[in-house]
Amino acid sequence: AATRDLAAIVLPDHVHAFHPGVVPGLAKHLDSLPWVASVEELRLLPPAKLELRLRTHRPLAQLGEDQGALVAAGGALVPRVYGAHPERLPRLLGVPAGANQAQCLQVGVQVLQALGPLVAQVEAVDLSNLGGQRDSLQSEIVLRLVGGLLVDWGRPEPIAAEGPESLGAPRRDPADKRGDLEAFLAGFPQVGSVERVSLRFDEVTYTLRTSSPSDPISRR
């Protein structure tokens, strides 16, 4: 699809390297393509060569449950046709339309980037409780890993003075959360029997899959 976009660019029949409008015009056109993040360099070289260097968007996630757009760094949306194997990317769920969409997408991308290699195990990031809009007592971000394990990631922003996550404690660093999750997945011998893991506090807790409700078991 990107190759077709480039092939469709209409160039003047006769132009030289010092033409006052062709380079800015081409740069503006290239910058408008949905898969282009920025135009790094654009030059006309004799006798008839166009040299360009582009920085492209790198899709990190899919938007929604259906065949939605792809989400790149910074929360930029890219049409699905520009993605290679988009079905392999994790999904961002619970993203609202309208004014809050861009901020929500950016939060989802930041979480995926913070996960590092663990992102390969993520099927979805549920952002429907962002800002505590559904339940202020529950995790604002929930990951769903391959196999169905749910991970309560916590809040994306610094902890406020109110609410159950504050308790006077500093915000947990995303790198610490990732480390805890890596250690849990590697060190728990029966991870398939775990239904949910919480990384919201320094002490990692988890809940086993059982036929009847049970209290979470703490684990550091």
Side-chain angles (χ1 to χ4, degrees):
T3 301
R4 290 195 298 270
D5 286 346
L6 294 176
I9 295 176
V10 178
L11 298 174
D13 292 333
H14 302 286
V15 67
H16 54 80
F18 300 102
H19 190 287
V22 66
V23 170
L26 283 173
K28 183 177 180 180
H29 176 79
L30 290 168
D31 194 53
S32 69
L33 296 176
W35 51 274
V36 175
S38 64
V39 179
E40 303 293 320
E41 187 176 19
L42 177 60
R43 297 190 299 167
L44 290 173
L45 303 177
K49 183 178 181 180
L50 178 64
E51 182 176 271
L52 53 88
R53 184 161 57 91
L54 307 174
R55 184 168 61 87
T56 62
H57 287 299
R58 183 170 68 90
L60 301 174
Q62 308 175 65
L63 178 57
E65 290 281 12
D66 299 322
Q67 304 295 304
L70 305 182
V71 186
L77 290 176
V78 181
R80 195 176 183 87
V81 67
Y82 293 105
H85 305 294
E87 69 281 355
R88 300 178 183 177
L89 297 174
R91 297 182 178 276
L92 298 185
L93 306 178
V95 177
N100 294 330
Q101 184 183 68
Q103 181 181 5
C104 191
L105 291 174
Q106 188 171 8
V107 168
V109 166
Q110 288 174 345
V111 171
L112 292 174
Q113 291 174 325
L115 285 167
L118 285 179
V119 74
Q121 301 187 44
V122 179
E123 288 186 342
V125 179
D126 189 345
L127 302 165
S128 58
N129 195 39
L130 202 61
Q133 57 184 343
R134 290 194 312 173
D135 189 341
S136 61
L137 300 180
Q138 300 301 318
S139 177
E140 294 188 13
I141 300 170
V142 178
L143 313 180
R144 186 178 73 225
L145 304 190
V146 176
L149 177 65
L150 299 178
V151 179
D152 290 332
W153 184 261
R155 295 181 177 180
E157 301 294 338
I159 296 173
E162 71 280 359
E165 287 190 6
S166 59
L167 303 178
R171 178 176 65 96
R172 294 211 68 205
D173 189 275
D176 294 335
K177 294 182 182 182
R178 182 184 68 192
D180 285 344
L181 183 56
E182 287 175 334
F184 182 83
L185 295 176
F188 195 81
Q190 297 177 322
V191 69
S193 64
V194 179
E195 179 180 3
R196 199 177 197 103
V197 178
S198 176
L199 309 175
R200 299 168 68 188
F201 307 102
D202 290 337
E203 186 175 50
V204 177
T205 61
Y206 62 89
T207 304
L208 296 175
R209 300 179 188 273
T210 59
S211 56
S212 59
S214 62
D215 294 330
I217 304 173
S218 299
R219 176 184 175 91
R220 289 188 181 274

